[in-house]
């Protein structure tokens, strides 16, 4: 559920659409594998689950960097992507620190990230809606914001767990898949 990727021009070319579709498919595959791995280790906050938690936002940073390169060339949402890179980098650091304090701290850090990154994703999706397939990214951003608030609630429960984060990531991956399949089907209007 994080930011999306733009092709190389404001009006998508076949190459830009193909590149964007590939990145979306990669993000779906990563989210599915990551979610399965976290779900398998979510029973406790172990070195394996802590490592997975830190890897997820760092993967988002890498995707945003790829996105930033093409957005610069296409006069795309560069500022939002810089914000996303900063948020995801800080989240990776925050999760590494929070993992030493326990699951409630992890859920709170993840919750802040889900809220803020969701808002950024929503803005990026809206700015790219002419590319087609962005309604899934817009919905994903809105859902991420709501999910972030729920992670705060879970952090205050008697027995908080990490399993919800796996579901969150998988759902975000599904939105990337839907967007990849829909990309380019909506043509910009003059």
């Amino acid at each position: 559920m994080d930011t999306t990727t733009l092709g190389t021009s404001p009006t998508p070319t076949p190459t830009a659409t193909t590149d964007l579709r590939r990145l979306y498919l990669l993000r779906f595959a990563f989210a599915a594998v990551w979610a399965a791995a976290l779900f398998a280790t979510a029973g406790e906050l172990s070195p394996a689950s802590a490592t997975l938690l830190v890897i997820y936002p760092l993967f988002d940073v890498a995707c945003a960097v790829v996105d930033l390169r093409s957005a610069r060339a296409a006069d795309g949402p560069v500022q939002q992507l810089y914000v996303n890179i900063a948020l995801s980098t800080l989240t990776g650091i925050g999760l590494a620190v929070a993992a030493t304090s326990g699951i409630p701290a992890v859920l709170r850090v993840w919750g802040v990230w889900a809220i803020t990154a969701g808002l950024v994703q929503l803005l990026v999706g809206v700015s790219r809606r002419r590319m087609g397939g962005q309604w899934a990214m817009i919905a994903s951003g809105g859902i991420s914001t709501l999910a972030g608030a729920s992670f705060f609630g879970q952090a205050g429960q008697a027995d908080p767990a990490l399993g919800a984060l796996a579901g969150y990531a998988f759902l975000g991956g599904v939105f990337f898949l839907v967007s990849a399949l829909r990309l380019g089907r909506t043509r910009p209007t003059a």
Side-chain angles (χ1 to χ4, degrees):
M1 288 195 191
D2 307 300
T3 57
T4 57
T5 303
L6 179 65
T8 57
S9 67
T11 302
T13 64
T15 301
T17 300
T18 300
D19 291 346
L20 183 56
R21 185 173 287 119
R22 283 184 190 146
L23 185 57
Y24 282 175
L25 292 172
L26 174 65
R27 292 197 70 149
F28 164 71
F30 177 83
V33 170
W34 184 91
L38 184 65
F39 191 74
T41 63
E44 63 181 356
L45 188 54
S46 66
S49 60
T51 300
L52 286 168
L53 291 167
V54 172
I55 286 171
Y56 195 88
L58 296 181
F59 180 77
D60 187 56
V61 169
C63 291
V65 167
V66 169
D67 192 354
L68 184 60
R69 287 184 211 161
S70 61
R72 270 194 218 124
D75 196 27
V78 172
Q79 289 179 329
Q80 294 101 326
L81 293 171
Y82 277 123
V83 169
N84 185 62
I85 289 168
L87 287 172
S88 295
T89 300
L90 291 172
T91 299
I93 295 166
L95 287 169
V97 172
T100 65
S101 297
I103 292 175
V106 166
L107 290 172
R108 287 183 188 102
V109 170
W110 197 283
V112 168
W113 182 46
I115 291 168
T116 56
L119 290 171
V120 171
Q121 182 178 18
L122 193 145
L123 293 172
V124 170
V126 166
S127 72
R128 294 178 170 166
R129 67 189 176 279
R130 291 176 21 152
M131 289 188 73
Q134 295 302 304
W135 67 266
M137 295 294 94
I138 293 167
S140 178
I143 291 169
S144 180
T145 302
L146 296 174
S150 77
F151 297 141
F152 270 92
Q154 292 172 23
Q157 292 178 354
D159 192 21
L162 299 172
L165 302 182
Y168 165 83
F170 183 74
L171 179 60
V174 168
F175 278 111
F176 277 110
L177 177 62
V178 168
S179 192
L181 298 173
R182 299 289 306 160
L183 188 64
R185 294 194 182 183
T186 303
R187 295 289 176 212
T189 57

